Amino acid sequence: MRREAFFLPSTVGQRLVLLYSPEPAEKLRGAVVYVHPFGEELNKSRRMAALQARAMASAGYMVLQIDLLGCGDSSGDFGDATWEAWLADVKLASAWLQERTTAALWLWGLRSGCLLVNEAAHRMQGPVNLLFWQPVVSGKQFLQQFLRLKVASEMLASDGKGVMERLRGQLRQGEAIEIAGYLLAPALAQGLEQADLLLPHRSGRVEWIEISGRADASLSLAATARLTQWQAAGQEARGTAVSGPAFWQTTEISECPALLEASLRALSEEVPA
């Protein structure tokens, strides 16, 4: 397995990418683009993303991880990010891989990254396989939860009345909001709010994996409902639940070995139907 770090030129600045490649003698089994989650969840999940990318490369997959606009070591600040710019970044990474291999393409997202890869798959030509890690199914609900961080901090300093409506009013008026150290631009908030995990019409397979803190891990009701709907529509989609910590939000950086194993099985179609 080889690992390289370099920048991809974009229409706005450049994007840092990490490329994990199998040894040259190995047969390439697939090409994978990883799309990270939102805000602080990105930092919490870097360890798990790196472990999975290495495992995939060792199993014969080429994996490209990209820092989206305003995130990590890519160009711009978080306040410069828009939903459309992030979708363009996913397309940029995917095109770069597809220019170098004809292997089956996988888009792998974590949390809100699943909303991005799903929407990107709608816009791409040809089949795209999707690997979802603990997907956010509603961008509107996710944005609401993020805004509550600001509400909570302001309630400590005042009576907190009408804080949420005031924040939404600022966004509607084109004003950016600072939340937990991140400057949220109206264009990013609007795109996130409109995003939903809809039926991925043009994809190949969908592998949905959730993490549970319980030993007898099972899929959430939301996952079961969404997968059942997609399967009824003819989409090849499967769900898996594994036990482990919610590493994207734990205080300490944590790992979930069961998730790494389940993901490799999912890509190789060894997960029971």
Side-chain angles (χ1 to χ4, degrees), residues 194-241:
Q194 293 175 349
D196 195 9
L197 208 62
L198 302 173
L199 176 67
H201 299 286
R202 295 183 179 176
S203 73
R205 288 195 288 127
V206 176
E207 297 289 348
W208 180 314
I209 307 180
E210 290 188 337
I211 301 92
S212 170
R214 299 173 53 180
D216 56 339
S218 60
L219 288 172
S220 65
L221 293 177
T224 301
R226 194 74 49 128
L227 288 168
T228 300
Q229 179 188 36
W230 291 356
Q231 290 163 356
Q235 176 70 52
E236 185 178 354
R238 297 181 291 188
T240 305

Side-chain angles (χ1 to χ4, degrees), residues 42-240:
L42 161 61
N43 298 321
K44 296 287 187 179
S45 60
R46 279 197 185 276
R47 171 68 176 168
M48 274 295 294
L51 289 174
Q52 186 67 80
R54 292 189 188 108
M56 287 177 175
S58 296
Y61 295 88
M62 182 180 291
V63 184
L64 190 70
Q65 298 183 334
I66 182 169
D67 281 355
L68 303 173
L69 171 64
C71 302
D73 292 311
S74 286
S75 297
D77 297 320
F78 193 85
D80 300 322
T82 68
W83 194 253
E84 283 298 322
W86 281 359
L87 285 169
D89 288 346
V90 178
K91 181 180 179 181
L92 173 70
S94 301
W96 188 91
L97 269 185
Q98 290 181 304
E99 288 171 0
R100 287 156 180 80
T101 176
T102 58
L105 177 65
W106 284 86
L107 298 184
W108 158 34
L110 169 59
R111 300 280 292 143
S112 58
C114 297
L115 293 172
L116 282 165
V117 300
N118 189 54
E119 189 167 343
H122 274 275
R123 303 185 182 192
M124 297 173 67
Q125 299 295 322
V128 182
N129 300 303
L130 300 174
L131 174 62
F132 292 154
W133 271 13
Q134 200 72 25
V136 171
V137 298
S138 168
K140 182 177 182 179
Q141 185 179 48
F142 184 83
L143 176 63
Q144 184 83 355
Q145 293 169 348
F146 188 60
L147 290 176
R148 282 178 185 152
L149 296 176
K150 183 71 170 180
V151 173
S153 65
E154 294 207 6
M155 286 182 69
L156 294 176
S158 65
D159 59 13
K161 291 182 179 179
V163 176
M164 180 65 76
E165 184 54 37
R166 177 169 57 79
L167 294 177
R168 288 192 171 278
Q170 288 178 243
L171 290 171
R172 286 193 296 268
Q173 293 169 18
E175 299 178 29
I177 300 172
E178 188 278 323
I179 303 176
Y182 294 90
L183 189 63
L184 178 65
L188 179 56
Q190 182 181 14
L192 176 60
E193 187 169 37
Q194 293 175 349
D196 195 9
L197 208 62
L198 302 173
L199 176 67
H201 299 286
R202 295 183 179 176
S203 73
R205 288 195 288 127
V206 176
E207 297 289 348
W208 180 314
I209 307 180
E210 290 188 337
I211 301 92
S212 170
R214 299 173 53 180
D216 56 339
S218 60
L219 288 172
S220 65
L221 293 177
T224 301
R226 194 74 49 128
L227 288 168
T228 300
Q229 179 188 36
W230 291 356
Q231 290 163 356
Q235 176 70 52
E236 185 178 354
R238 297 181 291 188
T240 305

